[in-house]
């Protein structure tokens, strides 16, 4: 158990860095270790969480933010092309972060395409399922992690959607020896007579000491059980679907991506400024709290169900607040357009009068000629 998905991504990047460096030294003993590390490169989608890019900065590793398809998913062919391009440049592909449930739109990268490529090139594959990973407790959502068998590490935040207080980030690794080789440092004051009897977690991460996070997670599991946690996930998704239904019934709005899990991404049709005004108004009024996002250069509002206490009446309240504020915004826009039309109309009237005078003058001239 780590503190956050950010820590998990960073720890696995460091482990992948050390593992790849060792492997390259075995294959090419003539190479300098420092030179190898300058050539290492990692990959993720441009929809991945900011913490992935931050891990690259902290770990001194170049991270390529790869483009996604029209569903915001990273595809295998995109990754493979980037890897091949870097190999031709003499770089060393080292680490891939695939996301299951991106922050912006809850998109799912194609693991069944990405996984075999990572295996082919011997690249560490880390899966960031910080939010959506909790839903895999329900069998009906497990198809979304097809290809997970290729993962070298996997992370889900229990404090996001599994009813556990912050912080509790569950990290699974396929081969813990890679962590130990990267982080193990022995000192005489660290020696004890229980070595080898149980995992020594000081060698699985950054810190030597660690909080007893497992206790609160254990209590949640004991209190709710599998069925209770499944019920919570399904209830949350049902509420998000209710909000989506309200949106679809109102032609002022558009849903920009398919509603997934507990997240619905929407916007007011038209210019981005309308959605910006809506978000600003909602924030100022403090009745509901929405975070902005972007999708194909469109500004979007992200409506997500977060609380276990949320009920249908809360969705109705939220919808009424969003709808009423949208009414005011659109009425204000319409009023402004009317003012602009009125401001232009004197010129239009003058032009019409001028044209009419010209016509009368032409008729008079023709009558004079005829006479």
């Amino acid at each position: 158990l780590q503190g956050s998905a950010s820590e998990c991504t960073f720890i696995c990047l460091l482990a992948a860095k050390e593992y790849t460096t060792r492997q390259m030294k075995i294959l090419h003993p003539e190479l300098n270790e420092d030179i190898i590390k300058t050539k290492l490169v990692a990959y993720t989608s441009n929809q991945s969480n900011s913490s992935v890019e931050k891990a690259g900065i902290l770990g001194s590793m170049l991270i390529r933010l790869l483009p996604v398809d029209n569903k915001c998913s990273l595809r295998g062919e995109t990754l493979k092309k980037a890897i091949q391009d870097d190999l031709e440049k003499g770089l060393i592909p080292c680490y891939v972060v695939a996301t299951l449930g991106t922050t912006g739109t809850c998109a799912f990268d194609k693991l069944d395409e990405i996984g075999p490529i990572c295996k082919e090139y011997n690249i560490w594959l880390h899966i960031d399922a910080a939010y959506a990973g909790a839903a895999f407790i329900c069998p009906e959502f497990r198809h979304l992690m097809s290809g997970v068998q290729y993962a070298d590490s996997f992370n889900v935040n229990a404090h996001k959607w599994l009813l556990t207080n912050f912080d509790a980030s569950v990290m699974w690794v396929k081969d813990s020896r890679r962590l130990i080789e990267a982080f193990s440092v022995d000192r005489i004051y660290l020696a004890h007579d229980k070595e080898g009897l149980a995992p020594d977690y000081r060698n699985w991460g950054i810190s030597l000491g660690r909080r007893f996070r497992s206790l609160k997670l254990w209590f949640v599991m004991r209190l709710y059980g599998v069925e209770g946690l499944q019920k919570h996930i399904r209830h949350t998704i049902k509420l998000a679907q209710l909000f989506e239904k309200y949106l679809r019934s109102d032609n002022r709005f558009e849903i920009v991506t398919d509603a997934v899990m507990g997240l619905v991404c929407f916007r007011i049709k038209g210019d981005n400024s309308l959605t910006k005004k809506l978000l600003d108004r909602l924030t100022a009024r403090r009745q509901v709290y929405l975070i902005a996002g972007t999708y194909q250069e469109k500004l979007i509002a992200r409506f997500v169900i977060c609380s276990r206490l949320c009920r249908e009446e809360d969705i109705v309240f939220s919808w009424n607040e969003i709808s009423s504020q949208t009414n005011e915004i659109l009425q204000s826009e319409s009023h402004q357009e009317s003012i602009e039309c009125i401001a232009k109309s004197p010129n239009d009237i003058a032009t019409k009068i001028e044209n009419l005078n010209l016509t009368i003058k032409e008729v008079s001239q023709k009558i004079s000629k005829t006479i």
Side-chain angles (χ1 to χ4, degrees):
L1 293 176
Q2 305 290 347
S4 65
S6 303
E7 289 180 38
C8 295
T9 302
F10 180 47
I11 287 168
C12 291
L13 179 141
L14 295 178
K17 183 177 183 179
E18 188 65 25
Y19 172 74
T20 304
T21 302
R22 290 173 188 266
Q23 292 297 108
M24 291 301 296
K25 283 291 290 181
I26 293 172
L27 294 173
H28 305 282
E30 74 282 2
L31 292 179
N32 180 281
E33 184 174 311
D34 293 333
I35 296 298
I36 292 173
K37 289 181 177 179
T38 63
K39 294 179 178 292
L40 299 179
V41 59
Y43 309 87
T44 190
S45 89
N46 57 18
Q47 300 297 305
S48 65
N49 189 268
S50 61
S51 62
V52 180
E53 191 173 357
K54 187 175 183 179
I57 295 171
L58 295 174
S60 300
M61 187 183 297
L62 173 65
I63 288 193
R64 299 211 184 283
L65 303 179
L66 304 179
V68 294
D69 65 13
N70 59 2
K71 292 188 176 181
C72 296
S73 301
L74 177 62
R75 305 302 297 267
E77 58 185 12
T78 304
L79 174 63
K80 189 163 188 174
K81 185 180 184 304
I83 291 171
Q84 290 173 341
D85 289 346
D86 283 335
L87 287 172
E88 290 177 4
K89 296 173 184 175
L91 299 176
I92 305 170
C94 171
Y95 186 55
V96 171
V97 179
T99 308
L100 297 182
T102 58
T103 303
T105 61
C106 202
F108 291 76
D109 291 340
K110 297 295 183 180
L111 287 184
D112 49 1
E113 297 176 4
I114 294 169
I117 294 170
C118 291
K119 184 177 180 181
E120 178 184 353
Y121 291 96
N122 194 25
I123 301 172
W124 183 303
L125 174 58
H126 175 68
I127 297 175
D128 177 10
Y131 165 68
F136 300 147
I137 197 171
C138 302
E140 64 267 31
F141 299 119
R142 290 177 192 161
H143 68 278
L144 293 168
M145 62 173 180
S146 175
V148 71
Q149 68 271 17
Y150 293 103
D152 293 287
S153 52
F154 184 99
N155 157 247
V156 57
N157 286 354
H159 60 246
K160 272 196 169 75
W161 206 6
L162 279 181
L163 301 171
T164 305
N165 291 340
F166 187 84
D167 56 1
S169 191
V170 183
M171 186 179 83
W172 173 90
V173 288
K174 183 174 286 185
D175 186 354
S176 61
R177 289 176 300 175
R178 294 186 184 181
L179 293 180
I180 295 168
E181 288 171 357
F183 301 119
S184 181
V185 177
D186 291 322
R187 292 287 187 272
I188 190 169
Y189 50 78
L190 298 174
H192 55 85
D193 59 359
K194 305 297 181 182
E195 291 185 24
L197 297 179
D200 196 338
Y201 290 114
R202 68 180 172 86
N203 296 324
W204 285 48
I206 298 170
S207 60
L208 292 177
R210 48 196 304 111
R211 295 171 53 188
F212 198 6
R213 297 184 180 98
S214 57
L215 184 62
K216 59 186 176 186
L217 182 56
W218 181 83
F219 268 115
V220 168
M221 291 178 173
R222 291 286 292 173
L223 283 168
Y224 286 88
V226 173
E227 291 184 1
L229 292 172
Q230 289 175 337
K231 182 179 178 182
H232 164 65
I233 297 293
R234 288 166 180 154
H235 173 69
T236 301
I237 293 173
K238 181 181 177 182
L239 293 178
Q241 291 171 344
L242 175 62
F243 181 76
E244 181 188 15
K245 184 178 178 181
Y246 284 125
L247 282 172
R248 293 195 183 280
S249 68
D250 193 324
N251 60 13
R252 297 173 301 173
F253 299 99
E254 63 174 312
I255 299 173
V256 293
T257 59
D258 294 336
V260 182
M261 302 298 173
L263 175 68
V264 185
C265 297
F266 70 99
R267 66 192 299 274
I268 301 175
K269 291 179 180 178
D271 191 81
N272 282 340
S273 61
L274 298 177
T275 302
K276 176 68 165 58
K277 288 177 181 179
L278 175 61
L279 288 165
D280 289 344
R281 278 172 170 259
L282 295 175
T283 301
R285 286 171 57 82
R286 301 184 181 183
Q287 300 299 306
V288 294
Y289 183 58
L290 272 63
I291 293 291
T294 56
Y295 172 76
Q296 297 181 349
E297 299 184 357
K298 291 181 178 180
L299 182 69
I300 61 175
R302 299 169 61 261
F303 184 91
V304 61
I305 314 298
C306 296
S307 172
R308 69 179 179 86
L309 302 175
C310 192
R311 297 292 181 265
E312 287 191 12
E313 50 265 37
D314 299 312
I315 304 302
V316 173
F317 175 87
S318 299
W319 168 248
N320 288 337
E321 173 72 4
I322 291 168
S323 181
S324 65
Q325 292 307 303
T326 301
N327 277 338
E328 292 188 16
I329 290 168
L330 295 180
Q331 286 173 3
S332 175
E333 289 290 315
S334 178
H335 180 64
Q336 182 63 31
E337 288 177 4
S338 299
I339 292 173
E340 290 174 359
C341 286
I342 292 170
K344 292 177 181 178
S345 60
N347 294 331
D348 294 339
I349 293 169
T351 302
K352 289 177 182 178
I353 291 172
E354 185 178 347
N355 291 337
L356 181 61
N357 288 334
L358 288 172
T359 304
I360 293 170
K361 185 177 180 181
E362 289 172 358
V363 171
S364 299
Q365 288 173 348
K366 285 183 180 180
I367 292 172
S368 298
K369 287 180 181 179
T370 302
I371 294 170

